[in-house]
Amino acid sequence: MKITAARVIVCCPGRNFVTLKLETDQGLTGVGDATLNGRELAVASYLQDHVIPCLIGRDPQQIEDIWQYLYKGAYWRRGPVTMSAIAAVDTALWDIKAKSAGLPLYQLLGGRSRTGVMAYGHATGRDIDETVDEVLRHQHAGYRAIRAQSGVPGLVKVYGVSTTGRMYEPADNTLPSEHDWDTALYLRHTPRLFEAVRLAVGDETHLLHDVHHRLTPLEAAQLGKSLEPYGLFWMEDPTPAENQEAFRLIRQHTTTPLAVGEVFNSIWDCKQLIEEQLIDYIRTTVTHAGGITHLRRIADLAALYQVRTGSHGATDLSPVCMGAALHFDTWVPNFGVQEYMPHSQEMLSVFPHDWRFDNGMLYCGETPGHGVDIDERLAARYPYQRAYLPVNRLRHDGSLHSW
Ligand code: KDG
Ligand code: MG
């Protein structure tokens, strides 16, 4: 078999997506997601200008060799742009291999390990009461795991909270919008939020919270400790995790489980966190961490240390990523949970798919491949629109802070 053509499709059906489609001489096609929120065109160019010329004529069955060729062959290793581009190729190749075998992708990975994939949904509100209502709405919709984020009194705009009444989409402007931040206000507010949420939902529902990289290790330790009475499933991204050692300090002070990894793109970013058992969940995705081939290496390393998966699944990961992720989740032995932030109907219509959500669980389909395609004609009706993620500034003096 040979790769005969490859196309990068950039579209914006409500938000930007970058998709790679591979064609072969046997009529089989494969699709991969390459969306890097706020930096989409960098990956599109990397694929178009540098990767595609090297793919034409190659045997798409040699997934491992092509992965190594693109990774080692670039000389410049890792990084979100490179790894998202490699991921798109890798996902499309697994799609082709599974189609040529006539099997759903999870069968090639080793088969089914579970009947379905536990999803966590996002409950967000402008204040504690609104967030509690949203948590209860998710509970009634069947979610067994719910992430709770709320506005913080005194702060105008914070991560995770919609100010428009529509679904929260972080890349909300043609130039980065500005949020404000005050750690002391946040640290006082968050335990109050979870006290109210836990009281309302009872003991059974898993509760999650995303700190979004905004604390120092000591502040994160304080927050983790103050949330212990509410039995969180995880506290996510408590600090910027470039400094993996920092998690030792957090770990020494709290038993609140820790989840990290949505911004990681390789096994090297989480090696120490996993080997020293400094985290409980690894949140790397198919799209940003080098595809199925590399994500499997991360999950296998994590399994040695009882670290479970909790893949990133915000709307900036396309329905193609979700399809591939669900096949991965259906197989991976050390599965934890899958993030699920539903795409709009407009977004879903561009990506015909066979995965589905039902009563708090996600299910991959049984069609050969990963079960997601792109409707290129429809995609062409939604041209790219520049959109940036926000920045965060300290309320008292405007210093730039992690968003
Ligand atoms: O593009 C950035 C988003 O994917 C990120 O802010 C979402 O933190 C996020 C999450 O946990 O879903
Ligand atoms: Mg997050």
Side-chain angles (χ1 to χ4, degrees):
M1 209 188 301
K2 280 194 174 14
I3 299 171
T4 49
R7 283 186 299 287
V8 182
I9 303 132
V10 182
C11 64
C12 186
R15 65 154 8 276
N16 291 312
F17 294 116
V18 179
T19 309
L20 176 72
K21 186 151 189 171
L22 300 183
E23 288 180 4
T24 64
D25 58 355
Q26 306 211 349
L28 293 173
T29 60
V31 173
D33 177 31
T35 309
L36 185 62
N37 207 3
R39 295 292 185 270
E40 294 87 358
L41 298 185
V43 190
S45 161
Y46 192 107
L47 282 166
Q48 186 66 54
D49 300 324
H50 305 293
V51 171
I52 287 178
C54 308
L55 289 180
I56 306 301
R58 272 179 200 284
D59 179 357
Q61 296 168 113
Q62 297 185 345
I63 300 179
E64 186 66 50
D65 185 66
I66 292 179
W67 197 97
Q68 300 294 338
Y69 180 79
L70 294 176
Y71 184 81
K72 293 178 179 154
Y75 184 65
W76 313 107
R77 294 187 183 207
R78 310 193 274 155
V81 174
T82 298
M83 296 304 276
S84 300
I86 294 178
V89 176
D90 187 77
T91 306
L93 293 178
W94 278 101
D95 195 20
I96 290 171
K97 193 182 272 299
K99 283 177 182 167
S100 80
L103 293 170
L105 175 51
Y106 72 84
Q107 292 290 12
L108 266 55
L109 298 173
R112 183 177 285 283
S113 300
R114 55 194 52 81
T115 53
V117 168
M118 181 170 76
Y120 74 87
H122 287 200
T124 70
R126 282 168 297 182
D127 54 26
I128 291 180
D129 287 348
E130 235 181 64
T131 308
V132 169
D133 288 348
E134 272 296 294
V135 171
L136 291 173
R137 194 175 66 73
H138 279 76
Q139 196 184 36
H140 292 141
Y143 282 97
R144 296 177 54 229
I146 304 168
R147 185 186 99 157
Q149 308 288 136
S150 98
V152 177
L155 300 181
V156 182
K157 275 182 154 186
V158 287
Y159 163 76
V161 182
S162 171
T163 48
T164 61
R166 279 179 280 131
M167 206 172 66
Y168 177 69
E169 268 297 343
D172 61 357
N173 213 344
T174 50
L175 283 175
S177 59
E178 306 232 334
H179 288 191
D180 54 345
W181 184 248
D182 186 315
T183 298
L185 293 182
Y186 171 75
L187 288 178
R188 274 202 296 276
H189 175 73
T190 305
R192 291 178 193 148
L193 168 68
F194 279 92
E195 185 182 14
V197 169
R198 181 52 85 199
L199 195 66
V201 292
D203 293 334
E204 295 299 314
T205 300
H206 298 305
L207 294 176
L208 298 78
H209 181 66
D210 191 350
V211 183
H212 222 254
H213 326 269
R214 290 170 300 191
L215 300 179
T216 64
L218 193 66
E219 290 160 354
Q222 289 164 353
L223 180 63
K225 213 168 177 176
S226 67
L227 293 175
E228 281 172 20
Y230 315 114
L232 263 60
F233 185 90
W234 80 34
M235 176 168 85
E236 175 184 336
D237 286 337
T239 66
E242 292 97 315
N243 182 3
Q244 298 184 41
E245 290 85 8
F247 280 71
R248 290 189 191 135
L249 189 144
I250 308 174
R251 220 29 166 184
Q252 280 158 11
H253 293 282
T254 180
T255 55
T256 293
L258 302 173
V260 178
E262 68 181 39
V263 301
F264 291 169
N265 49 73
S266 84
I267 201 164
W268 302 100
D269 298 323
C270 48
K271 182 173 177 287
Q272 184 178 7
L273 288 172
I274 291 173
E275 286 177 345
E276 289 189 30
Q277 292 183 275
L278 300 176
I279 56 172
D280 302 280
Y281 296 91
I282 180 69
R283 280 184 37 74
T284 41
T285 51
V286 174
T287 299
H288 297 142
I292 301 269
T293 297
H294 195 65
L295 196 59
R296 191 164 60 170
R297 301 225 148 94
I298 295 175
D300 283 343
L301 175 68
L304 300 180
Y305 300 94
Q306 292 179 288
V307 173
R308 288 182 283 165
T309 65
S311 278
H312 187 200
T315 37
D316 43 295
L317 285 321
S318 91
V320 176
C321 176
M322 183 56 85
L326 291 178
H327 283 272
F328 189 86
D329 295 341
T330 297
W331 155 73
V332 71
N334 47 328
F335 172 72
V337 72
Q338 169 67 50
E339 181 177 18
Y340 178 49
M341 199 180 163
H343 296 102
S344 68
Q345 275 314 315
E346 203 180 19
M347 296 172 199
L348 290 173
S349 64
V350 173
F351 297 95
H353 58 283
D354 69 351
W355 56 262
R356 66 192 169 86
F357 173 81
D358 183 33
N359 201 30
M361 302 289 282
L362 284 159
Y363 300 92
C364 66
E366 291 291 330
T367 49
H370 59 46
V372 192
D373 205 343
I374 178 163
D375 179 338
E376 294 184 58
R377 278 190 177 194
L378 191 54
R381 284 202 227 148
Y382 300 107
Y384 168 76
Q385 289 177 27
R386 194 179 69 202
Y388 285 94
L389 290 170
V391 298
N392 219 8
R393 290 191 181 278
L394 295 186
R395 182 171 77 130
H396 65 278
D397 70 357
S399 305
L400 205 82
H401 192 72
S402 295
W403 169 71

